[in-house]
Amino acid sequence: MSDLIQPKVLKGFRDFLPADEIERALLMERLVKVFRDYGFVPIDTPALEYSEILLRKSGGETEKQVFRFSDNGGRDVAMRFDLTVPLARFVAEHKSEIYFPFKRYHLGKVWRGEKPQAGRYREFLQCDFDTLGSDSAAVDFEILRLIKKALNELGVSNFKIHVSHRGIFNRFLKSLNLSEDSEEVLRIVDKLAKIGEDEVLKLLTDISSEESAKKILAYISGVSKELKSEDFEKTLSHLENLAGGPDEDTKRMRDIYALVKAVGIEDSIVFDPSITRGLDYYTGVVFETFLNDLPSIGSVCSGGRYDNLTALYMKECITGVGASIGLDRLLAALELLGHQKTKASFTDLLIFSLPEDDLVLSYKIVNFFEAEKINAEVYPEPKKMNHQYTYAEKKDIRWGLFLDKDSCVEEFDKAPQRFKIKLKDMTNRTEDETPLSEAVKKIRASKN
Amino acid sequence: MSDLIQPKVLKGFRDFLPADEIERALLMERLVKVFRDYGFVPIDTPALEYSEILLRKSGGETEKQVFRFSDNGGRDVAMRFDLTVPLARFVAEHKSEIYFPFKRYHLGKVWRGEKPQAGRYREFLQCDFDTLGSDSAAVDFEILRLIKKALNELGVSNFKIHVSHRGIFNRFLKSLNLSEDSEEVLRIVDKLAKIGEDEVLKLLTDISSEESAKKILAYISGVSKELKSEDFEKTLSHLENLAGGPDEDTKRMRDIYALVKAVGIEDSIVFDPSITRGLDYYTGVVFETFLNDLPSIGSVCSGGRYDNLTALYMKECITGVGASIGLDRLLAALELLGHQKTKASFTDLLIFSLPEDDLVLSYKIVNFFEAEKINAEVYPEPKKMNHQYTYAEKKDIRWGLFLDKDSCVEEFDKAPQRFKIKLKDMTNRTEDETPLSEAVKKIRASKN
């Protein structure tokens, strides 16, 4: 056939080869376990939705990035670009079938036609968790507790969750008569890490006064150049003063912090007044999470409280608080930090095949190992040994097994435990003649 | 806001509420464990591919069903409608990065714009497993062994894998001078269960002769009206005679069956000459799997051997054997058979909230239970008790916990194990004052 099609994925899309897919799957499994242990339950929603539902609220930027088309029935449809809009639609559609507080997690792919660049893809995994229908400090705190636990379970302990509160900042802006420019101020403040203090000061001065600009900068700079966990309450009092004294929002932050201390996770949390979450729809507590050893990759888990998730679909207000883990970013970070060991398969033992071997015997031995909870495979043909060794190596299989030349099925059937084989340690290529019972012990010991 | 958007999913698409999603997730986890234990490794491919790649080989029917459109860059793209075409593209694209035999599994969503009807959706989960690059009887057998194990792990034991061989049937047709009509014959034979013997005989007579039609019907009827596992070898010999004597294909079936017997799974397998897998691209062994208690839902796992997966993309031939599990169908069947217990959450214990309670104490108790591997949640606000009971009920939480009116954090901190609480068994609504150490024992006992 001369007319071959070139096999290639679309620009910005990726295949996952086994080792990468295993790593991603194990990461997700660990996250899912934490969600479940902490009382969160999963939902799923379609990849494709009515464009009207996905795009009504979004600005032009999102619309340009979305995969949108007419389906065969002439419906205007689009592939989901996040899991938040589908959650809002889901809650409005099923409000009588769910219960509140509704603690849900959702892992799923989303699609954005943005310009592909390092670390940015057009298809990626989103991992969201939210608690809806409660405006208590306890559920705000629970999200922080969950982030702490989730990262710990992934083997990351050296990180800080940077917390702030949009309400306190807004009250402060109001005291400067800048309420109407708050979106613009947030946009500028959000660039602090990127453009530096001087540039932020200049931009803020442009839209207010030098005095106000300096005050805003003083606000977001907090009480010390270096953010320290132990400064949480001091920073809160400082901002409370700047904003005009105690109110519900500052009380909320104190309530959250009391719970943080109750469960002993205060070392992982800092009050960072520069966190504003840009133009997002947040109204209360907001947070971002940075790895101390790799701050440059940005926040690996961000979120906050919002006060009306479902405004587009129903009159009733649903408040909530939630966060999103950047799985791809986190995976890249874990690799850079050397935290994750790649696994190429789950096979413990490969039974090699020589021309004189009886496959019936080989598979009986596989069955024997299965009963011992050891994962054995048979190389299915008597190919050259270098092929078989390469296979074991590619799949990262620790142990090899050769049948004895004169062994037979009857002998195995009589006494499987005492049946002798040659066990090969693939890490140092040493071989040992040993009964199966001993092989089981050796392999087990190497798994622990 | 008067201008609300009606929240609804597209026709043929589905949301999954927590209980359903948990059930589906647990099913997938059990399957994935079997794949891994049996030496299979996962891959992932994009939801979106070039239309040319997905659609070149397909007929008009597939093309009509596919979600195809121009992306923002003007590329002709389509959403994948199965996992086999992407596998072929993947193998051709990455052949130097993978190793053979390549045993891969792939769970993922696929999309087909077919007419929605009972049990048919436009988005559904596909679950495929294939071994590529080996034409040995051992890998054919391994797929059967895997199906047997996978269904067992899902709690299904009463099923039969119906096995046949396309090569033997084709040789038989050749002996009747019907090679050129084989596609048409296969199409008719495939309808046997649906239209009955008389109609099949009539249709076959139309394209051949009455004599040939009767012979074909005799072939696919095998040796007995009732298919029995113990007739496997008898049926094979019978068909071998009809096809003109022993050859490689009949030897292959004997080799597979020797391995089936070696591992003792022959009771789950029948030789069924009526299995032809219609017009599919199979060339060797083919199989379908039926639940004895629910044959009407059709095959829950089907597949077979093919001899050139990657013909569209490269000159080198890649042979393989694989199968696909109909997850949605299986899930529906398991429900009908009462096999699966729905779980509404993974929470063991709910700590209720009364107005006088200190949330700090409640979350300290959550931490205490976490260390004991018991999943506890706090109801985050002192709402009316009927709300809190409903929450526990909806999430299927077995145990409730009340704080004593006069209990305090200091007391807990001093001796958590001896700290007294009221434990409520939600199944019978009885309450017991008990120290936390005893509560742990009770809850643990109820989990086993």
Side-chain angles (χ1 to χ4, degrees):
Chain A
M1 190 160 170
S2 59
D3 193 16
L4 296 174
I5 302 171
Q6 196 198 342
K8 60 165 194 245
V9 294
L10 285 160
K11 205 172 144 189
F13 286 78
R14 284 178 293 175
D15 283 328
F16 281 77
L17 287 155
D20 293 331
E21 183 58 18
I22 287 175
E23 197 172 333
R24 191 163 73 154
L26 293 179
L27 185 90
M28 288 194 283
E29 283 166 26
R30 268 180 240 133
L31 284 176
V32 162
K33 175 152 186 357
V34 176
F35 293 145
R36 290 175 179 175
D37 287 354
Y38 277 35
F40 285 70
V41 292
I43 67 165
D44 195 28
T45 68
L48 222 51
E49 302 238 14
Y50 284 105
S51 297
E52 183 190 38
I53 283 176
L54 294 187
L55 295 171
R56 171 75 79 89
K57 203 182 183 176
S58 66
E61 209 37 57
T62 306
E63 200 145 345
K64 256 186 279 167
Q65 289 184 356
V66 92
F67 289 99
R68 176 181 185 174
F69 59 98
S70 262
D71 76 2
N72 292 344
R75 282 167 288 256
D76 180 0
V77 299
M79 295 172 81
R80 67 183 179 206
F81 57 88
D82 75 2
L83 299 177
T84 303
V85 181
L87 172 64
R89 195 267 310 143
F90 177 97
V91 169
E93 186 167 351
H94 301 287
K95 61 181 184 296
S96 64
E97 296 159 272
I98 58 179
Y99 45 84
F100 297 97
F102 186 55
K103 296 157 79 166
R104 86 88 176 78
Y105 67 91
H106 192 180
L107 276 83
K109 285 186 182 169
V110 301
W111 295 270
R112 291 183 197 172
E114 56 191 336
K115 212 175 161 185
Q117 45 179 299
R120 293 267 183 154
Y121 297 95
R122 289 182 168 167
E123 173 179 76
F124 56 95
L125 258 173
Q126 191 90 345
C127 170
D128 280 19
F129 45 101
D130 292 79
T131 299
L132 305 179
S134 169
D135 183 24
S136 85
V139 304
D140 289 341
F141 151 74
E142 281 185 0
I143 296 289
L144 301 178
R145 177 172 178 259
L146 179 51
I147 295 172
K148 162 77 175 163
K149 175 75 171 184
L151 289 175
N152 280 167
E153 287 298 306
L154 299 180
V156 184
S157 52
N158 200 8
F159 63 88
K160 296 273 190 205
I161 308 173
H162 293 227
V163 179
S164 186
H165 194 294
R166 280 281 278 267
I168 305 176
F169 189 52
N170 284 338
R171 186 156 59 105
F172 166 71
L173 290 181
K174 200 175 166 193
S175 76
L176 300 179
N177 275 319
L178 285 170
S179 283
E180 289 187 3
D181 302 302
S182 70
E183 287 210 354
E184 190 55 26
V185 172
L186 287 171
R187 208 197 312 266
I188 295 168
V189 163
D190 208 37
K191 291 182 190 159
L192 181 64
K194 217 161 139 191
I195 62 176
E197 278 195 12
D198 291 348
E199 191 62 21
V200 165
L201 195 63
K202 192 174 153 288
L203 291 171
L204 288 174
T205 305
D206 288 350
I207 62 159
S208 58
S209 64
E210 204 186 323
E211 197 197 336
S212 292
K214 278 185 179 161
K215 279 186 180 164
I216 294 170
L217 211 61
Y219 181 99
I220 61 175
S221 300
V223 296
S224 138
K225 271 270 164 211
E226 204 190 330
L227 291 166
K228 289 184 215 137
S229 289
E230 57 268 35
D231 285 342
F232 193 100
E233 284 159 310
K234 200 168 137 194
T235 308
L236 177 53
S237 298
H238 175 67
L239 302 181
E240 189 174 58
N241 282 336
L242 291 178
D247 74 345
E248 278 203 356
D249 293 340
T250 56
K251 176 178 184 306
R252 166 60 56 97
M253 289 305 273
R254 287 206 168 79
D255 289 345
I256 293 174
Y257 199 61
L259 296 172
V260 161
K261 284 191 294 184
V263 301
I265 61 170
E266 63 269 36
D267 287 351
S268 298
I269 290 176
V270 292
F271 200 125
D272 179 355
S274 76
I275 299 295
T276 58
R277 305 286 304 134
L279 288 178
D280 282 329
Y281 52 101
Y282 297 109
T283 51
V285 61
V286 285
F287 41 84
E288 298 187 353
T289 310
F290 298 93
L291 306 181
N292 297 347
D293 302 322
L294 214 57
S296 59
I297 63 157
S299 172
V300 295
C301 182
S302 313
R305 171 169 286 283
Y306 38 86
D307 63 12
N308 193 354
L309 179 71
T310 52
L312 286 176
Y313 315 109
M314 61 186 203
K315 284 176 185 161
E316 200 185 326
C317 282
I318 306 261
T319 67
V321 57
S324 199
I325 293 184
L327 274 185
D328 291 309
R329 190 179 281 186
L330 197 55
L331 210 46
L334 289 170
E335 257 170 49
L336 285 172
L337 294 173
H339 271 277
Q340 290 272 314
K341 266 262 172 139
T342 305
K343 209 180 169 103
S345 79
F346 295 83
T347 305
D348 302 312
L349 170 75
L350 180 64
I351 302 180
F352 295 112
S353 285
L354 300 177
E356 64 272 23
D357 289 347
D358 180 0
L359 281 172
V360 162
L361 178 54
S362 299
Y363 281 101
K364 279 184 176 247
I365 294 175
V366 167
N367 249 24
F368 170 86
F369 280 112
E370 184 181 357
E372 303 284 350
K373 302 210 182 305
I374 287 170
N375 298 336
E377 271 189 72
V378 177
Y379 196 90
E381 305 171 56
K383 279 207 177 170
K384 282 187 190 146
M385 281 314 297
N386 63 337
H387 283 293
Q388 303 195 37
Y389 286 142
T390 302
Y391 182 83
E393 208 175 281
K394 292 273 186 189
K395 287 186 97 162
D396 212 2
I397 302 175
R398 167 72 189 269
W399 299 95
L401 185 155
F402 288 99
L403 297 177
D404 266 359
K405 276 205 181 89
D406 50 357
S407 61
C408 67
V409 171
E410 291 70 28
E411 205 187 323
F412 171 87
D413 283 342
K414 240 190 302 174
Q417 296 279 351
R418 274 181 284 142
F419 187 77
K420 283 201 171 159
I421 49 89
K422 235 185 258 157
L423 187 68
K424 186 176 182 105
D425 186 337
M426 302 302 290
T427 54
N428 57 17
R429 305 250 160 166
T430 54
E431 287 180 25
D432 242 340
E433 188 166 283
T434 171
L436 283 175
S437 57
E438 286 303 310
V440 166
K441 282 182 201 157
K442 274 196 181 176
I443 296 167
R444 278 228 185 102
S446 75
K447 285 177 82 168
N448 298 327
Chain B
M1 189 161 171
S2 60
D3 192 16
L4 296 174
I5 302 171
Q6 195 198 343
K8 60 165 195 245
V9 294
L10 285 159
K11 205 172 144 189
F13 286 78
R14 283 178 294 175
D15 283 328
F16 281 77
L17 287 155
D20 293 332
E21 183 58 19
I22 287 174
E23 197 172 334
R24 191 164 72 153
L26 294 179
L27 185 90
M28 288 194 283
E29 283 165 26
R30 268 181 240 133
L31 284 176
V32 163
K33 176 152 186 356
V34 176
F35 293 145
R36 291 175 178 175
D37 287 354
Y38 277 35
F40 284 69
V41 292
I43 67 165
D44 194 28
T45 68
L48 222 51
E49 302 238 15
Y50 284 105
S51 297
E52 183 190 38
I53 283 176
L54 293 186
L55 295 171
R56 171 75 79 88
K57 204 182 183 177
S58 67
E61 209 37 57
T62 306
E63 200 146 345
K64 256 186 279 167
Q65 289 184 355
V66 92
F67 289 99
R68 177 182 184 174
F69 60 98
S70 263
D71 75 3
N72 292 344
R75 282 167 288 256
D76 180 0
V77 300
M79 294 172 82
R80 67 183 179 205
F81 57 88
D82 75 2
L83 299 177
T84 304
V85 180
L87 172 65
R89 195 267 310 144
F90 177 97
V91 169
E93 186 167 351
H94 301 287
K95 61 181 183 296
S96 64
E97 296 159 90
I98 58 178
Y99 46 84
F100 297 97
F102 186 56
K103 296 157 79 165
R104 87 86 176 79
Y105 67 90
H106 192 180
L107 276 82
K109 285 186 182 168
V110 301
W111 295 270
R112 291 182 196 172
E114 56 191 336
K115 212 175 160 185
Q117 46 179 300
R120 293 266 183 156
Y121 297 95
R122 289 183 168 167
E123 172 178 77
F124 56 95
L125 258 173
Q126 189 89 346
C127 170
D128 280 19
F129 45 103
D130 292 79
T131 299
L132 305 179
S134 169
D135 183 24
S136 85
V139 304
D140 289 341
F141 151 74
E142 281 184 359
I143 296 289
L144 301 178
R145 177 172 178 260
L146 178 51
I147 295 172
K148 162 76 176 163
K149 175 75 172 184
L151 289 175
N152 280 167
E153 287 296 307
L154 299 180
V156 184
S157 52
N158 200 9
F159 63 88
K160 297 273 190 204
I161 309 172
H162 293 226
V163 179
S164 186
H165 195 293
R166 280 281 277 267
I168 304 175
F169 189 53
N170 284 338
R171 186 156 59 104
F172 165 71
L173 289 181
K174 201 175 167 193
S175 77
L176 300 179
N177 275 319
L178 285 170
S179 284
E180 289 186 3
D181 302 302
S182 70
E183 288 210 353
E184 190 55 27
V185 172
L186 287 172
R187 208 197 312 266
I188 295 168
V189 163
D190 207 37
K191 292 182 190 159
L192 181 63
K194 216 161 138 192
I195 62 176
E197 278 195 11
D198 292 347
E199 191 61 21
V200 165
L201 195 63
K202 192 173 152 288
L203 291 171
L204 288 174
T205 305
D206 287 349
I207 61 159
S208 58
S209 64
E210 205 186 323
E211 198 197 337
S212 291
K214 279 185 177 161
K215 279 186 180 166
I216 294 170
L217 212 60
Y219 181 99
I220 61 174
S221 301
V223 296
S224 140
K225 271 270 165 210
E226 204 190 329
L227 291 167
K228 290 184 214 136
S229 289
E230 58 267 34
D231 284 342
F232 193 100
E233 284 159 310
K234 200 168 137 194
T235 308
L236 176 54
S237 298
H238 175 66
L239 302 181
E240 189 174 59
N241 282 338
L242 292 178
D247 73 345
E248 278 203 356
D249 292 340
T250 56
K251 177 178 183 307
R252 166 61 56 98
M253 289 305 274
R254 288 206 167 79
D255 289 345
I256 293 173
Y257 199 61
L259 296 172
V260 161
K261 285 191 294 185
V263 301
I265 61 170
E266 63 269 35
D267 287 352
S268 297
I269 290 176
V270 292
F271 200 125
D272 179 355
S274 77
I275 298 295
T276 58
R277 305 286 303 132
L279 288 179
D280 282 330
Y281 52 100
Y282 297 109
T283 51
V285 61
V286 286
F287 41 83
E288 298 186 354
T289 310
F290 298 93
L291 306 181
N292 296 347
D293 302 322
L294 214 57
S296 59
I297 63 156
S299 172
V300 295
C301 182
S302 313
R305 171 168 285 283
Y306 38 86
D307 62 12
N308 193 355
L309 179 71
T310 52
L312 287 176
Y313 315 109
M314 62 186 202
K315 284 176 185 161
E316 200 185 325
C317 282
I318 306 260
T319 67
V321 57
S324 199
I325 293 184
L327 274 185
D328 291 309
R329 190 179 281 186
L330 196 56
L331 211 46
L334 288 170
E335 258 171 48
L336 286 172
L337 294 173
H339 271 277
Q340 291 272 313
K341 266 261 172 142
T342 305
K343 210 180 169 102
S345 78
F346 295 84
T347 305
D348 302 312
L349 170 75
L350 180 64
I351 301 180
F352 295 111
S353 285
L354 300 178
E356 64 272 23
D357 288 347
D358 180 0
L359 281 171
V360 162
L361 178 54
S362 299
Y363 281 101
K364 279 184 177 246
I365 294 175
V366 167
N367 250 23
F368 169 86
F369 280 112
E370 184 181 357
E372 303 284 350
K373 302 210 182 306
I374 287 170
N375 298 336
E377 271 189 73
V378 177
Y379 195 91
E381 305 171 56
K383 279 206 177 171
K384 281 187 190 145
M385 281 315 297
N386 63 337
H387 283 293
Q388 303 195 37
Y389 286 141
T390 302
Y391 182 83
E393 208 175 281
K394 292 273 186 189
K395 287 187 97 162
D396 211 2
I397 302 174
R398 168 70 189 269
W399 299 95
L401 185 154
F402 287 99
L403 297 178
D404 266 359
K405 275 204 182 92
D406 50 356
S407 60
C408 66
V409 171
E410 292 70 29
E411 205 187 323
F412 171 87
D413 283 342
K414 239 191 303 175
Q417 296 280 350
R418 273 181 285 142
F419 187 77
K420 282 200 172 162
I421 50 88
K422 236 186 257 158
L423 187 67
K424 186 177 183 105
D425 186 337
M426 303 302 290
T427 54
N428 57 17
R429 305 249 159 166
T430 55
E431 286 179 26
D432 242 341
E433 187 167 282
T434 170
L436 283 176
S437 58
E438 285 303 309
V440 167
K441 281 182 202 158
K442 274 196 181 175
I443 296 168
R444 279 229 184 100
S446 75
K447 284 178 81 168
N448 298 327

